[in-house]
Amino acid sequence: MKSRNWVRLFLSTLLVGGVATSIIGFLLKWEEYKELFITFDVLEILSVLFWLFGVGLIFSVISQMGFFAYLTIHRFGLGIFRSTSLWNIAQILLIIFVLFDLVYFRYQLFSKENEALTSYLLIAGYVFIVGLIVAFMKRKDTNKEAFVPALFFMIVVTVIEWFPALRVNEEDWLLLMLIPIQICNAYQLLMLPKFLQQKRS
């Protein structure tokens, strides 16, 4: 890919991350922020928007680091296993482990007395479902061999990128970081072929 197209992908992903975080941030704390809109406090709204957009840029950079790291790891994996099917099996096993870890170890670390496992299962289920949807979209856009790598990226790499919020374990931060990272990851995964086509054209 030409450096110009890499820059375009980088900048567009930054914009996606900033906008997504701004929207998600206002939605998550709407009860807190709606008074600003009712009173039409423009300066305060712009202040909050500026902060959320800046946080979104950070999330976007984390997402892009994870994406380029995975592109490298994927090539290494294919080289080490010397077989796409064996590498896919390894990725599937890692997906299962990460989803299990996302439920069991988080429950062990953060659950309160007599707290049900339900909320921990729901968040892992949400990550899995979003991963499946994006992986099916990637498969449809390219080929069936892209399904497992896309699923691995959308689950395993997303959870690794999400780790700072997982350590804090505050609900608002969990969702504020997770959803924009998923959006940025999906955007890069689905848009990369289009930027590659720009190179050939």
Side-chain angles (χ1 to χ4, degrees), residues 180-196:
I181 281 180
Q182 287 178 315
I183 292 171
C184 288
N185 284 348
Y187 174 80
Q188 292 177 97
L189 197 62
L190 298 174
M191 289 301 295
L192 182 62
K194 295 177 174 58
F195 281 93
L196 290 173

Side-chain angles (χ1 to χ4, degrees), residues 32-44:
E32 180 181 330
Y33 294 140
K34 70 178 180 180
E35 188 65 29
L36 300 177
F37 289 90
I38 293 173
T39 59
F40 201 63
D41 190 340
V42 177
L43 287 178
E44 193 65 27

Side-chain angles (χ1 to χ4, degrees), residues 70-88:
Y70 175 68
L71 292 177
T72 303
I73 291 169
H74 183 63
R75 300 314 304 177
F76 275 123
L78 289 172
I80 292 170
F81 287 93
R82 299 183 182 279
S83 166
T84 302
S85 59
L86 287 177
W87 174 227
N88 283 345

Side-chain angles (χ1 to χ4, degrees), residues 103-120 169:
V103 176
Y104 180 76
F105 288 108
R106 283 191 67 236
Y107 182 75
Q108 292 296 317
L109 287 172
F110 300 116
S111 64
K112 299 172 184 176
E113 189 175 355
N114 298 322
E115 184 179 1
L117 195 64
T118 308
S119 62
Y120 299 90
N169 198 47

Side-chain angles (χ1 to χ4, degrees), residues 28-97:
L28 286 175
K29 292 196 171 184
W30 178 245
E31 289 300 318
E32 180 181 330
Y33 294 140
K34 70 178 180 180
E35 188 65 29
L36 300 177
F37 289 90
I38 293 173
T39 59
F40 201 63
D41 190 340
V42 177
L43 287 178
E44 193 65 27
I45 292 171
L46 289 176
S47 176
V48 174
L49 182 62
F50 181 78
W51 182 81
L52 287 171
F53 192 85
V55 171
L57 296 183
I58 296 172
F59 293 163
S60 174
V61 170
I62 293 171
S63 168
Q64 294 188 65
M65 290 171 61
F67 182 60
F68 291 119
Y70 175 68
L71 292 177
T72 303
I73 291 169
H74 183 63
R75 300 314 304 177
F76 275 123
L78 289 172
I80 292 170
F81 287 93
R82 299 183 182 279
S83 166
T84 302
S85 59
L86 287 177
W87 174 227
N88 283 345
I89 291 171
Q91 290 181 96
I92 291 170
L93 291 175
L94 285 170
I95 289 169
I96 294 170
F97 174 77

